[in-house]
Amino acid sequence: MVNVAIMGHGVVGSGVAEVLLKNSELIAKKAKNEIRIKHILDLRDFPEIPYSDLFTKDFNDIISDDDVKVVAEVMGGLHPAYEFTKQCLMAGKSVVTSNKELVATYGAELLALAEENNVNYLFEASVGGGIPVLRPIAQCLAANDLYEVEGILNGTTNFILTRMISDGMSFEDALKMAQDLGYAEKDPTADIEGHDACRKICILAALAFGKHVYPNSVYTEGITKITSADAAYADFADCAIKLIGHAKLLDDGKCTVAVYPAFVSRKNQLAHVNDVFNAITVKGDAIGNAMFYGPGAGKLPTASAVVADIIDCVKHLHARKYLSWDDCDADYIADHRKDTVRMYVRLGYTGERPAVIESITSLFGQIKVLGRQGEPSDELAFITPFASEEAIFSQLGTLKNCQVLSTLRMLD
Amino acid sequence: MVNVAIMGHGVVGSGVAEVLLKNSELIAKKAKNEIRIKHILDLRDFPEIPYSDLFTKDFNDIISDDDVKVVAEVMGGLHPAYEFTKQCLMAGKSVVTSNKELVATYGAELLALAEENNVNYLFEASVGGGIPVLRPIAQCLAANDLYEVEGILNGTTNFILTRMISDGMSFEDALKMAQDLGYAEKDPTADIEGHDACRKICILAALAFGKHVYPNSVYTEGITKITSADAAYADFADCAIKLIGHAKLLDDGKCTVAVYPAFVSRKNQLAHVNDVFNAITVKGDAIGNAMFYGPGAGKLPTASAVVADIIDCVKHLHARKYLSWDDCDADYIADHRKDTVRMYVRLGYTGERPAVIESITSLFGQIKVLGRQGEPSDELAFITPFASEEAIFSQLGTLKNCQVLSTLRMLD
């Protein structure tokens, strides 16, 4: 029998307890060992819960208990999760987590600490909720030289964008609906401003390319500026709008990483990922591309990933070593504005439409003009040919009698 | 350094050699060990190949070489692959394979033999080509009580069906195109009659539910009867036609497994899996559902999966034990005709259309009538309400003045 502790009894933590208790027999078979929850750390009281005797408010009960071999850190936030995780690893306990903020910020350090202490630090649940993605990248695609990862990494924003495109809702109404359904927090900033997706693409890039990517080095744009007009033009262009986390390894060894909403062609699998689902596409020299799809959040899906990591730790109490990456140099992240892209542009203009289109065409070459129902006579939307994002913005700046209302990257 | 042997130098075998040689540095880093190809078994001569000195025509060179720890069996077919695999496992060598026919037929026996000899028998490449799917099911979803697996498991038929739906091609023309492009064999029987998909759903069901499923116990229907008329009605119903491998664990512990072409609603991710791509959906009590998508065949994608298994064996020269299942009882497979389904039905009829529709409605309850361009006046296509497949067929048999031209299951 192996004893485990759970730190945090919120949505994910209670799900971890539920899955471990409900599927205990099946899990014992898979882990070749019985798994027992010995402590649950939470500052709140849960008197009504059948397993209320397991609760403690004191981290020392866990760290000083030599019987506890595996700790699930599902408390979230940087502190005290960081300090608790370090202490557990140094005490020879493996740690599994769903805490993307912690992994994205201190992952390289914590992985090194785990290796030093010959224990595991696993975090499948930190990206894509229940979707198996980190272990498959690290193990199943191990023969590949991976060069690109991109995906829909945040369920809340994907729900909002799906409602805007499919049901014609405004951003505000869709956000309200997400909050009413419990998909969005009261303070939705981390989701709608892209910070959550940013942490996840940092973890994916680190795992795929072997070097830590710090969230504060990543250009991050949320979805708050997307309007119903943009959604209508997207539909006209046979695209969906999705919040994309994107990371690509360049020929010079640097990496471009960014989070932004994009027009995604319906020929791309990612365009069909709707509601709170997430999906991650990985590209490598042998595999071509593979995609992983599933519920990106939620109590039981996320618990499913945390418990899978617990099982892995129980089967291999010493370091598995398939997850690891190095710290990065200061100049590792390249300027994403140098990326070669096509862009959707929505302009307000004064003057004659044909003359405006002609001046745009003379700047960019052939553009694809879009339309929408109820399009105002002083609005023009189009898709540029390929160029660097920087060049496109600089050319847009030279347009006379035009005001740029929206710009979004295209993803084919 | 770990020595490996490759048995078979066809499409997959040459891909395995190519990936091992091309990405040797990266692979050594991931495997924490250098991997060297010591022998390649093939009866043909490859004098022009840079590594021609590695070839042998004699299996004894591999089996008697104690330096060889891992053998990739990529020769295909049942014999002598079965005998060679057994001998390798008994000699203490781990075996990795892409041979779905062998795994589907002798998997339970070979897995037991591997365990007895404390070595691995891994076969990620046998399902979904390069798509990481077996290891994620076994490891990442280990906390789940899995109850259903379904997917598009054959790239050749998916290419043909995509051409029929998207480009309005006939089955014959689409098959010819697939052959011209090298996606279909000269003798395409195993693909178009569903045998290849059948082997793969057997392997998936065995892994997900823990009991071997023998291909000859599985109802298998190919795509040769699909017509352009069916494709047009599918489009009208906002569906694609896909060849689906389906396995579901029933409440009584039995399992229903079948392969058949189906109308797949465009609301389902599987409807958007086109051309030679494959995708597998897995459902479990905690995860809800997850989908794995990617290239289902091809030299390098399949080699990517084989080499990942080689790396895993090199990291764990003794048995990993995460892949295993038991043999099944004779009555494990339930009758798939008892499955509750909706069905697409295309009829030829004589008499008055309203009268025919009325007689059908009186049998089935509310049906959804479909249409297509150029629909003959003596043809009627519709979708039934939910009922057992058996009941639907039996009711269709009672219809007067009607001839059933096509029936296909619906997948929502």
Side-chain angles (χ1 to χ4, degrees), chain A residues 177-188:
Chain A
M177 188 178 186
Q179 286 173 320
D180 290 348
L181 289 166
Y183 296 151
E185 308 276 338
K186 222 171 165 182
D187 175 2

Side-chain angles (χ1 to χ4, degrees), chain A residues 22 269 272 291 293 304, chain B residues 144 269 272 285 291 293 304:
Chain A
K22 181 178 161 227
Q269 285 285 316
H272 304 285
M291 191 183 85
Y293 165 94
S304 156
Chain B
N144 284 263
Q269 285 286 317
H272 303 285
D285 65 342
M291 189 183 86
Y293 165 92
S304 155

Side-chain angles (χ1 to χ4, degrees), chain B residues 24-80:
Chain B
S24 62
E25 213 172 302
L26 173 92
I27 289 169
K29 201 177 157 195
K30 302 258 182 88
K32 319 263 173 204
N33 216 324
E34 195 189 326
I35 296 179
R36 191 182 67 153
I37 306 172
K38 194 162 174 196
H39 308 286
I40 301 177
L41 179 71
D42 203 296
L43 295 177
R44 295 165 293 179
D45 289 305
F46 297 88
E48 304 295 316
I49 262 174
Y51 49 87
S52 60
D53 55 311
L54 302 177
F55 280 83
T56 174
K57 294 183 165 63
D58 186 358
F59 174 63
N60 286 314
D61 287 345
I62 293 171
I63 195 74
S64 64
D65 187 340
D66 290 340
D67 281 355
V68 171
K69 300 297 181 198
V70 183
V71 178
E73 184 272 291
V74 284
M75 46 207 305
L78 286 182
H79 305 285

Side-chain angles (χ1 to χ4, degrees), chain A residues 158-220:
Chain A
N158 203 46
F159 177 84
I160 293 171
L161 292 170
T162 302
R163 293 283 77 75
M164 289 176 73
I165 296 259
S166 302
D167 308 338
M169 288 176 80
S170 69
F171 171 79
E172 290 73 20
D173 289 347
L175 171 60
K176 173 83 170 45
M177 188 178 186
Q179 286 173 320
D180 290 348
L181 289 166
Y183 296 151
E185 308 276 338
K186 222 171 165 182
D187 175 2
T189 313
D191 291 323
I192 63 175
E193 295 295 355
H195 303 314
D196 177 76
C198 173
R199 290 164 193 149
K200 292 167 176 169
I201 194 66
C202 287
I203 297 171
L204 286 166
L207 188 67
F209 310 141
K211 287 189 186 173
H212 197 96
V213 173
Y214 290 92
N216 59 15
S217 67
V218 172
Y219 172 79
T220 302

Side-chain angles (χ1 to χ4, degrees), chain A residues 116-329:
Chain A
E116 258 169 50
N117 290 278
N118 196 25
V119 291
N120 296 299
Y121 183 52
L122 302 181
F123 39 85
E124 182 63 65
S126 68
V127 178
I131 309 172
V133 57
L134 300 183
R135 188 179 273 100
I137 289 177
Q139 294 192 314
C140 304
L141 302 180
N144 285 262
D145 205 355
L146 299 173
Y147 60 87
E148 194 165 9
V149 187
E150 68 193 349
I152 295 168
L153 302 169
N154 180 273
T156 306
T157 46
N158 203 46
F159 177 84
I160 293 171
L161 292 170
T162 302
R163 293 283 77 75
M164 289 176 73
I165 296 259
S166 302
D167 308 338
M169 288 176 80
S170 69
F171 171 79
E172 290 73 20
D173 289 347
L175 171 60
K176 173 83 170 45
M177 188 178 186
Q179 286 173 320
D180 290 348
L181 289 166
Y183 296 151
E185 308 276 338
K186 222 171 165 182
D187 175 2
T189 313
D191 291 323
I192 63 175
E193 295 295 355
H195 303 314
D196 177 76
C198 173
R199 290 164 193 149
K200 292 167 176 169
I201 194 66
C202 287
I203 297 171
L204 286 166
L207 188 67
F209 310 141
K211 287 189 186 173
H212 197 96
V213 173
Y214 290 92
N216 59 15
S217 67
V218 172
Y219 172 79
T220 302
E221 181 186 327
I223 63 163
T224 53
K225 290 179 204 149
I226 306 290
T227 64
S228 303
D230 299 321
Y233 285 120
D235 200 45
F236 180 93
D238 204 21
C239 290
I241 300 180
K242 299 291 177 189
L243 183 65
I244 298 293
H246 175 251
K248 187 172 184 179
L249 200 58
L250 305 179
D251 290 339
D252 62 4
K254 292 189 184 187
C255 184
T256 165
V257 189
V259 174
Y260 46 79
F263 268 34
V264 181
S265 159
R266 291 216 169 90
K267 289 186 182 147
N268 188 315
Q269 285 285 316
L270 292 176
H272 304 285
V273 174
N274 288 322
D275 297 318
V276 293
F277 283 86
N278 283 195
I280 297 105
T281 299
V282 183
K283 298 181 189 173
D285 64 343
I287 182 77
N289 76 70
M291 191 183 85
F292 306 90
Y293 165 94
K299 175 176 172 163
L300 292 182
T302 309
S304 156
V306 173
V307 174
D309 277 349
I310 293 177
I311 294 172
D312 200 10
C313 287
V314 167
K315 284 171 79 177
H316 307 93
L317 281 174
H318 297 300
R320 298 270 288 108
K321 295 197 183 78
Y322 68 84
L323 282 178
S324 77
W325 57 71
D326 302 325
D327 209 341
C328 65
D329 303 324

Side-chain angles (χ1 to χ4, degrees), chain B residues 150-168:
Chain B
E150 69 194 347
I152 295 167
L153 303 169
N154 180 273
T156 306
T157 46
N158 203 46
F159 178 84
I160 293 170
L161 292 169
T162 302
R163 293 283 77 76
M164 290 177 72
I165 297 258
S166 302
D167 308 338

Side-chain angles (χ1 to χ4, degrees), chain B residues 7 59 71 73 75-123 126 203 206 212 214 319-321 323-327:
Chain B
M7 301 197 297
F59 174 63
V71 178
E73 184 272 291
M75 46 207 305
L78 286 182
H79 305 285
Y82 171 65
E83 291 76 14
F84 286 1
T85 299
K86 270 176 85 165
Q87 288 185 59
C88 288
L89 295 172
M90 288 190 291
K93 300 177 196 306
S94 286
V95 177
V96 306
T97 189
S98 58
N99 190 335
K100 50 224 158 212
E101 193 177 359
L102 186 60
V103 178
T105 313
Y106 294 109
E109 180 192 343
L110 294 170
L111 282 164
L113 194 62
E115 192 159 352
E116 260 170 49
N117 289 280
N118 197 26
V119 290
N120 297 299
Y121 183 52
L122 302 180
F123 39 85
S126 67
I203 298 171
H212 197 95
Y214 289 92
R320 299 269 288 105
K321 293 195 185 80
L323 282 178
S324 77
W325 57 71
D326 301 325
D327 209 342

